[in-house]
């Protein structure tokens, strides 16, 4: 992918960076000149990603408050500042109607997708607010950072057999809008994207029948490419995105009509 945005001198954290979308987003940020630290609970996957991308890595379970606080402190002290946070780590959970689901699975999905994103945002934005704003190459309004949350079309529309996942992503959308209001005067732009399905490990967890059902809901009749997700995240992480805080950006091949 050719670099359209110049993110040189910026430093980014990508959670879930050992996985499909996270890896693609990290690659795009690196191509644009940013420094990137990948956070993931999967240490083996992280090591592979580091070899592939040349990014720095940190093994972090985002549901562990003290691990998140320690990793945040270490990242700020290693790089001086964090300009970009991509809250991407997530799990799908059981694909079953609510009456067949286990409460433990519901809690686990909420724990990673919502509580984990909350912990990371809490820690990183708390420090981002205190770092100096930097003059921008494209806007006269100084910025301190960008936060991009990877939600899902299922958080906007709901989805049968994905109650926990959809609820967690709806929660992440509300978290995005709320934090955006809190940091609007600090020069921290907070947004979320709501992609339709991409062919990552997560999509491979579902049955052929459900896959066909999901595809049938997308007017463009195809899955989103990882690079298409990465390109939108790149814009949302750049100074070109300077007045859209709290925005929830659609990426669903026409599935969402709002
Ligand atoms: N693939 C899709 O169809 C799709 C569509 C819309 C949104 N999303 C969202 O995009 C994000 C990335 O999904 P993906 O498809 O690349 O999935 P993936 O399973 O390939 O990657 C997710 C990564 O998150 C990591 N992770 C899970 N729990 C963690 C924890 N507690 N702490 C740290 N890391 C943890 C995993 O180890 C993995 O590397 C997720 O938030 C997902 O909900 C995916």
């Amino acid at each position: 992918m050719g670099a359209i945005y110049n993110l040189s001198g910026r430093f980014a954290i990508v959670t879930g960076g050992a996985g499909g979308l996270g890896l693609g987003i990290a690659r795009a940020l690196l191509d644009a000149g940013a420094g990137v630290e990948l956070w993931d609970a999967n240490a083996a996957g992280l090591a592979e990603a580091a070899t592939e991308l040349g990014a720095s890595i940190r093994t972090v379970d985002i549901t562990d408050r003290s691990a998140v606080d320690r990793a945040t402190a270490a990242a700020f002290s290693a790089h001086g500042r964090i300009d970009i946070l991509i809250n991407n780590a997530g799990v799908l959970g059981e694909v079953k109607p609510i009456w067949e689901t286990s409460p433990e699975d519901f809690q686990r999905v909420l724990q990673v997708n919502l509580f984990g994103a909350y912990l990371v945002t809490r820690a990183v934005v708390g420090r981002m607010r205190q770092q100096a704003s930097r003059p921008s190459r494209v806007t006269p309004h100084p910025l301190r950072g960008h936060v991009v949350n990877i939600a899902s079309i299922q958080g906007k529309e709901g989805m049968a057999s994905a109650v926990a996942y959809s609820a967690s992503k709806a929660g992440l959308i509300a978290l995005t809008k709320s934090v955006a209001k809190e940091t609007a005067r600090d020069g921290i732009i907070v947004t979320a994207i709501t992609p339709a399905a991409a062919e990552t490990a997560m999509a491979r967890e579902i049955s052929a029948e459900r896959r066909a059902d999901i595809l049938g809901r997308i007017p463009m009749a195809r899955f989103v490419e990882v690079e298409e997700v990465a390109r939108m995240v790149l814009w949302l992480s750049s100074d070109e995105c300077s007045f859209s805080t709290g925005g929830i950006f659609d990426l669903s091949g026409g599935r969402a009509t709002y």
Side-chain angles (χ1 to χ4, degrees):
M1 190 194 307
I4 301 170
Y5 302 104
N6 180 358
L7 298 181
S8 56
R10 307 292 156 82
F11 211 87
I13 293 172
V14 181
T15 72
L21 295 186
L23 201 62
I25 291 165
R27 184 176 287 117
L29 290 167
L30 286 161
D31 284 352
V36 176
E37 192 168 286
L38 306 175
W39 288 14
D40 207 290
N42 173 356
L46 266 183
E48 254 179 59
T51 312
E52 192 181 327
L53 295 185
S56 50
I57 55 173
R58 209 173 286 279
T59 306
V60 188
D61 177 347
I62 61 160
T63 67
D64 178 340
R65 175 182 170 174
S66 51
V68 167
D69 288 347
R70 274 197 311 275
T72 303
F76 272 85
S77 92
H79 311 294
R81 58 185 293 134
I82 299 295
D83 301 284
I84 298 164
L85 167 63
I86 314 295
N87 278 309
N88 164 80
V91 293
L92 183 58
E94 292 178 329
V95 180
K96 290 178 180 171
I98 190 167
W99 53 90
E100 289 179 14
T101 57
S102 77
E104 291 73 23
D105 186 79
F106 186 92
Q107 277 181 329
R108 182 181 70 94
V109 173
L110 268 286
Q111 193 76 9
V112 177
N113 297 2
L114 183 54
F115 184 64
Y118 154 78
L119 284 181
V120 176
T121 306
R122 172 181 175 274
V124 173
V125 168
R127 285 171 184 262
M128 220 180 226
R129 290 181 69 237
Q130 288 163 21
Q131 68 194 9
S133 59
R134 46 175 168 66
S136 166
R137 288 181 279 260
V138 295
T139 162
H141 306 286
L143 294 169
R144 283 197 171 79
H146 288 81
V147 177
V148 185
N149 296 324
I150 312 302
S152 164
I153 183 73
Q154 298 186 13
K156 280 168 96 175
E157 287 193 355
M159 181 82 182
S161 295
V163 163
Y165 184 79
S166 303
S168 71
K169 295 300 187 178
L172 186 57
I173 289 170
L175 182 147
T176 303
K177 293 177 180 177
S178 303
V179 179
K181 292 181 200 303
E182 292 172 353
T183 62
R185 295 188 184 190
D186 294 330
I188 300 176
I189 305 290
V190 186
T191 56
I193 63 168
T194 56
E199 296 207 76
T200 60
M202 190 172 279
R204 288 192 287 275
E205 284 175 40
I206 59 178
S207 68
E209 192 187 5
R210 188 162 174 87
R211 203 183 133 84
D213 173 24
I214 288 173
L215 198 55
R217 291 166 194 269
I218 302 174
M220 287 179 80
R222 66 171 177 84
F223 294 114
V224 64
E225 303 287 340
V226 172
E227 290 75 14
E228 291 174 317
V229 174
R231 281 197 290 274
M232 181 173 265
V233 172
L234 212 50
W235 176 65
L236 293 170
S237 304
S238 73
D239 287 1
E240 274 77 359
C241 178
S242 55
F243 201 58
S244 297
T245 200
I248 308 302
F249 289 80
D250 184 59
L251 195 65
S252 69
R255 175 170 165 182
T257 49
Y258 66 99

